[in-house]
Amino acid sequence: MRSDKMKKGVERAPHRSLLKAMGYTDEEISRPLIGVANSFNELIPGHIHLRQIVDAVKAGIRMAGGTPMEFGGIGVCDGIAMNHLGMRYSLASRELIADSVEVMAQAHPFDGLVVVPSCDKITPGMIMAILRMNIPAIVVTGGPMLTGTWRGRKVNLISVFEGIGEVRSGRMSQEDLCSLEDEACPTCGSCAGMFTANSMNCLSEALGLSLPGNGTIPAVTAKRMRLAKTTGMQIMKLVEKGIRPRDIATEEAFRNAIAVDMALGCSTNTVLHVPAIAHEAKVDLPLEVFNDMSKKTPHLCSLIPAGTHSLQDLDYAGGIQAILKELDKLGIIEGGCITVTTKSAAENFSEAKVVDPQIIRSVDDPYHQEGGIAILYGNLAEEGSVVKQSAVAPEMLRHEGPARVFDSEDEAYSAILHGKINPGDVVVIRYEGPKGGPGMPEMLSPTSAIVGMGLDKQVALLTDGRFSGGTKGAAIGHISPEAAEGGTIALVQEGDTISIDIPAKRLDLKLSQEELEKRRAQWQPPEPRIKEGYMARYARMVSSGAKGAIVE
């Protein structure tokens, strides 16, 4: 056993003594030792209940003959960090999370790992760690929050963000907004909707790194607790059989996951996290794979924020396994991929059923013929940019308009809320990329304000930063190269015409090459916003959004 390095033989007597100081018996020490990474904290709704989930995981490990050893991890709540300095630390926390799990599992050589994340950067960070470590491991998340009900309609966190714009435009009173905020987030769990957290939780299941049901079973159900116990038991089978994460997360498995991504209409942040996870799995996954799978994969689910169905609805309708089975009809799912069940993907979804065809549509009757995400290229995004095309109004799929240029999110947000953005405008927010932000902050406040002001079918928003999974409308992010590296987005001037053609996968600044070169010769990089500490180091080492914003 791997853990023998710290517990077996006469020379490990001091090590065993230290373990016994914590109450471990000889019997417990002799068993396989399973690390349990618990990202519980009292800051994130998706993590506030993880002590209970982890207790269930540990019970499952003990039932199956192992000894669980719990350790903690950090986590940022993107909603609470939104629209202030804290958001610059969110994406960067993913690398710290991966590094901290690696540190714990190398310093204390466990025989297996169960990672228990739930939200935006924590889930991909922990998945990156288990692929980097490549010891038997499994993922179980905290599960999605239930939607709220306010005055007869479903509401969620994004409803509150959009409410700010509605108040500013006179379409809602401040008293109504207060009432809405009381009802929008009614339970623990990752925010209700196909936002980044639930997108990544669903994709962990589609990749085969978590048990069926992990992506969709609600946080507050007994079924989630049973899943956690079963996960604890299952890690012992993975240890026994020697099945490791890289045996599971193959190129074929990543294509399966991206197909599910497209069918669901997941967050654009998956285009950052999935390549970063693939990098740890030693799988080459260029951005072109997303467009390739999008062309092959119909959009089957109309989930919050683009549609009306919740994660609870998706779970009832059959969940991720039913989607895999439906997509398999098109021949685009590699059913032979091994999963943490120790069975193949096809064996897992063989008994799945679509219970409600309005929630999970047939491949013969999709919402859209193409998948939910598109990668756009052009002289404004030579290395690529990302849009959730399933959340774009039909009239905005093709658009030309004058650039309204802002060198920070705060400037743009203020202009939107003060009525300075006009129908037809293309709002450009730059110097918010991985290096320039630093940290590539999410732009949920500006996009939600545009929706709240009633401009989402008339105004586009472009950025080298990124968007929340809760964003809808013609919001194009991850523009690479970013402004801080001298990308074309740094050269845009107020009033320049920008052309967006999502069906053609194009994003262009309508200027001659001669004019672009003239502007490029005059461009100077700005002073960094953060000059010391972790984020200053991160800005020096991070790659572009097109490469998953990995630290190289």
Side-chain angles (χ1 to χ4, degrees):
M1 289 190 290
R2 187 172 182 266
S3 61
D4 286 350
K5 296 175 184 177
M6 65 174 172
K7 70 182 187 183
K8 192 171 183 180
V10 66
E11 68 277 10
R12 295 295 181 255
H15 303 63
R16 292 191 296 274
S17 181
L18 290 168
L19 291 171
K20 290 176 179 179
M22 293 178 281
Y24 291 107
T25 65
D26 284 323
E27 171 63 23
E28 287 175 298
I29 295 168
S30 70
R31 294 176 178 183
L33 304 184
I34 308 299
V36 182
N38 182 3
S39 57
F40 164 83
N41 64 39
E42 295 180 344
L43 286 162
I44 308 176
H47 291 224
I48 194 70
H49 64 307
L50 291 189
R51 282 175 171 162
Q52 293 172 285
I53 298 290
V54 165
D55 282 346
V57 168
K58 292 193 291 186
I61 292 169
R62 291 190 185 102
M63 284 191 289
T67 298
M69 307 182 99
E70 179 185 344
F71 61 92
I74 66 166
V76 171
C77 178
D78 277 25
I80 296 173
M82 192 70 63
N83 197 225
H84 59 82
L85 178 65
M87 179 45 69
R88 303 192 186 281
Y89 287 79
S90 173
L91 179 59
S93 74
R94 186 189 71 184
E95 315 309 310
L96 289 175
I97 291 160
D99 290 350
S100 65
V101 173
E102 175 196 355
V103 165
M104 291 300 289
Q106 291 286 35
H108 316 94
F110 304 119
D111 299 301
L113 275 171
V114 181
V115 294
V116 190
S118 195
C119 289
D120 290 39
K121 309 309 167 299
I122 302 90
T123 298
M126 286 194 171
I127 294 174
M128 287 166 66
I130 66 173
L131 285 161
R132 184 185 302 171
M133 295 295 302
N134 201 33
I135 63 174
I138 190 169
V139 181
V140 61
T141 62
M145 181 186 291
L146 299 183
T147 52
T149 302
W150 183 70
R151 299 184 181 176
R153 67 183 176 99
K154 289 180 181 178
V155 291
N156 57 77
L157 176 67
I158 308 308
S159 309
V160 186
F161 273 98
E162 292 174 358
I164 297 168
E166 293 182 54
V167 169
R168 288 301 182 100
S169 65
R171 298 160 66 200
M172 178 185 283
S173 69
Q174 289 190 35
E175 291 75 19
D176 283 347
L177 182 60
C178 260
S179 171
L180 171 61
E181 75 178 65
D182 287 342
E183 306 298 333
C185 299
T187 72
C188 62
S190 44
C191 293
M194 193 48 73
F195 314 142
T196 305
N198 288 322
S199 295
M200 292 309 304
N201 297 342
C202 287
L203 295 191
S204 72
E205 181 180 339
L207 264 173
L209 293 171
S210 60
L211 293 177
N214 179 70
T216 57
I217 296 172
V220 293
T221 61
K223 190 177 179 183
R224 174 61 60 174
M225 298 300 291
R226 294 196 299 271
L227 178 74
K229 284 183 183 176
T230 307
T231 297
M233 297 173 72
Q234 192 63 24
I235 185 59
M236 298 305 295
K237 292 182 181 178
L238 296 173
V239 170
E240 178 187 350
K241 292 179 179 291
I243 296 174
R244 302 183 180 197
R246 290 186 204 167
D247 300 328
I248 295 167
T250 61
E251 182 178 345
E252 293 77 15
F254 277 102
R255 286 182 174 271
N256 287 351
I258 294 171
V260 170
D261 187 340
M262 297 303 165
L264 289 173
C266 286
S267 164
T268 51
N269 281 320
T270 61
V271 183
L272 281 176
H273 300 319
V274 173
I277 291 166
H279 175 75
E280 299 290 353
K282 311 300 182 187
V283 171
D284 184 32
L285 200 73
L287 283 184
E288 288 77 8
V289 174
F290 287 85
N291 273 346
D292 178 47
M293 294 308 296
S294 183
K295 289 174 185 175
K296 298 175 182 178
T297 310
H299 177 219
L300 304 182
C301 301
S302 184
L303 299 163
I304 298 168
T308 58
H309 296 140
S310 66
L311 268 291
Q312 185 179 4
D313 295 332
L314 179 60
D315 187 61
Y316 162 76
I320 302 307
Q321 298 304 310
I323 290 171
L324 284 164
K325 188 171 184 178
E326 189 63 27
L327 293 177
D328 190 50
K329 295 176 182 178
L330 298 174
I332 59 175
I333 298 300
E334 177 51 67
C337 293
I338 191 69
T339 73
V340 291
T341 65
T342 73
K343 300 176 182 177
S344 70
E347 288 176 295
N348 290 344
F349 64 66
S350 62
E351 300 300 318
K353 294 180 181 178
V354 175
V355 176
D356 189 334
Q358 292 306 307
I359 297 171
I360 301 174
R361 286 196 175 182
S362 162
V363 292
D364 298 320
D365 181 33
Y367 285 98
H368 302 98
Q369 290 298 329
E370 285 196 8
I373 290 175
I375 311 298
L376 312 185
Y377 296 91
N379 71 351
L380 194 49
E382 293 172 343
E383 295 177 6
S385 60
V386 183
V387 64
K388 186 190 280 194
Q389 60 182 350
S390 60
V392 179
E395 53 266 52
M396 289 299 292
L397 290 172
R398 291 184 175 90
H399 179 75
E400 279 194 10
R404 303 297 307 280
V405 183
F406 302 93
D407 286 348
S408 72
E409 176 191 2
D410 291 345
E411 292 174 26
Y413 188 44
S414 176
I416 295 164
L417 290 180
H418 287 88
K420 296 180 180 180
I421 302 302
N422 305 310
D425 285 350
V426 178
V427 177
V428 177
I429 305 178
R430 62 191 181 190
Y431 297 108
E432 297 287 16
K435 291 182 181 294
M440 207 179 187
E442 284 187 350
M443 304 290 170
L444 180 56
S445 293
T447 56
S448 297
I450 285 171
V451 173
M453 301 283 282
L455 293 171
D456 55 306
K457 295 181 180 179
Q458 299 168 296
V459 169
L461 193 153
L462 315 182
T463 183
D464 53 5
R466 59 193 177 89
F467 297 113
S468 163
T471 293
K472 59 185 176 182
I476 301 169
H478 306 197
I479 290 176
S480 301
E482 62 174 288
E485 292 192 311
T488 303
I489 190 172
L491 311 180
V492 181
Q493 295 180 3
E494 189 82 6
D496 287 347
T497 299
I498 291 176
S499 173
I500 299 166
D501 190 337
I502 294 173
K505 310 293 189 287
R506 295 291 305 180
L507 180 63
D508 291 289
L509 178 62
K510 300 196 81 173
L511 288 178
S512 68
Q513 189 62 32
E514 182 180 47
E515 176 62 21
L516 285 174
E517 291 304 323
K518 179 181 175 183
R519 293 185 186 182
R520 185 166 279 112
Q522 297 171 346
W523 174 78
Q524 293 291 327
E527 284 289 310
R529 287 191 175 98
I530 299 176
K531 299 180 181 180
E532 59 185 16
Y534 173 61
M535 289 309 299
R537 298 196 304 274
Y538 177 86
R540 289 194 295 269
M541 297 185 293
V542 68
S543 73
S544 78
K547 294 181 179 179
I550 58 173
V551 169
E552 296 179 308

